[in-house]
Amino acid sequence: MKIFDELQQYDYEQLIFCQDRESGLKAVIAIHDTTLGPALGGTRMWTYASEEEAVIDALRLAKGMTYKNAAAGLNLGGGKTVIIGDPRKDKNEAMFRAFGRFIQGLNGRYITAEDVGTTVEDMDLIHEETRYVTGISPAFGSSGNPSPVTAYGCYMGMKAAAKEAFGDDSLKGKTIAVQGVGNVAYHMCQYLHEEGAKLVVTDINQENMERAVRDFEAETVDPEQIYDVDCDIFSPCALGAIINDDTINRLQCKVIAGSANNQLKDAEHGDILHEKGVVYAPDYVINAGGVINVADELLGYNRDRAYKKVEGIYQTILRIFEISKRDGIPSYKAADRMAEERIQSLHRSRKTFLTEERNLLNIKTR
């Protein structure tokens, strides 16, 4: 693998390899862009097939966080960590404390959080060694479980998408097909049920479906049948890549809005949705409630303030649809363009500032 070729392709700033023999720590920290502020992104622990696969995943995820944080209006850049190992059997206290020392050594350039394969308890161990970590236990001033906040953001984003598709953001009487009813989707369904939406749900976990039936009077279908449900809104809240060649022509909806990551298998599927006139709320924008919430911890967590910021996802989604219409591009491209424009704007203002500063310095030294 040609590391610098990879870094140059998408202009990554830094790639850090962290190793601690005693604890078994093998971690990769990727920092993509810090134009807007220090890089914020979670720590993922996974059994990668190779070290190269781990590096590629860290790079991919870090770039995604740059766009997510920029689109969310946060003054934060994008970064990500992957730890190579089995989260079920390879964890130990020394590993996360050693990793915390590596983060501390970056002196605030990178801030971490919970991700796939890591927990609040793991973040607490990292916190023993550094203050540059979010999503720790509420006893340390953290916000606790981010699922309800992520759900609220998805709900607000869904209402914005409904306004775009139907001319009104009310979800009362709308049929919403929800794929996956885990922690985030359960809380989202609570909002939808309270507004009077009709829910059709599926999940590979039977208990999750039974809970949705009991608490929200939801109908259920088998997992494979969810794509065929005649609905107003399809809400993917489980796996990624579910908008693909096999499913895209089966969907019977006007809107796609859900919490799952990487919903489009390929970019071309976003193009097809656009051509079909399906309103798609880009996943990394609508599900940004969690990162907005943990970012508020950096200011000293205030729940009301955090929820108010998450509520802003509504206007952000509408802005994306405006860009989509302005530039004649699909909404997933419009989301990227919005994030890039924000970063580039700051690049330009900094460049202007530095030029003016140099000019003043030249005048003073003449």
Side-chain angles (χ1 to χ4, degrees), residues 20 31 36 39 91 101 160 174 197 200 217 219 242 258 362:
D20 182 70
I31 296 175
L36 297 175
K91 288 182 180 182
R101 292 191 291 275
K174 294 287 190 295
V200 181
E217 301 173 359
E219 293 182 19
I242 51 84
N362 289 335

Side-chain angles (χ1 to χ4, degrees), residues 163-324:
K163 184 175 183 178
E164 177 69 14
F166 308 115
D168 186 333
D169 70 5
S170 174
L171 300 175
K172 184 176 181 179
K174 294 287 190 295
T175 299
I176 303 173
V178 183
Q179 182 186 42
V181 206
N183 288 332
V184 171
Y186 175 83
H187 291 286
M188 183 188 73
C189 286
Q190 201 164 18
Y191 289 113
L192 300 175
H193 177 63
E194 288 171 359
E195 192 170 337
K198 177 185 175 183
L199 299 174
V200 181
V201 306
T202 196
D203 199 294
I204 58 172
N205 185 318
Q206 187 65 30
E207 290 182 5
N208 286 351
M209 286 203 289
E210 290 172 359
R211 182 174 62 166
V213 170
R214 182 184 67 243
D215 295 348
F216 311 129
E217 301 173 359
E219 293 182 19
T220 63
V221 295
D222 290 336
E224 185 55 30
Q225 295 175 335
I226 195 70
Y227 305 105
D228 304 308
V229 173
D230 187 2
C231 59
D232 298 293
I233 300 170
F234 176 63
S235 184
C237 298
L239 302 174
I242 51 84
I243 310 298
N244 54 52
D245 289 342
D246 295 329
T247 63
I248 199 163
N249 290 319
R250 294 168 57 188
L251 295 171
Q252 309 292 315
C253 60
K254 291 286 187 182
V255 172
I256 297 175
S259 66
N261 288 309
N262 305 315
Q263 294 169 21
L264 304 175
K265 186 175 188 298
D266 295 303
E268 67 183 37
H269 297 113
D271 298 334
I272 294 170
L273 291 178
H274 182 67
E275 291 165 6
K276 285 175 168 285
V278 176
V279 174
Y280 171 61
D283 46 33
Y284 71 80
V285 181
I286 195 173
N287 69 15
V291 72
I292 294 171
N293 188 60
V294 296
D296 193 78
E297 295 177 19
L298 303 173
L299 306 172
Y301 186 68
N302 180 291
R303 184 183 183 278
D304 291 341
R305 181 178 62 202
Y307 268 80
K308 190 68 178 174
K309 290 177 182 175
V310 171
E311 195 172 295
I313 289 174
Y314 181 97
Q315 291 299 331
T316 302
I317 294 290
L318 290 182
R319 172 65 179 145
I320 287 167
F321 296 144
E322 287 174 7
I323 294 171
S324 174

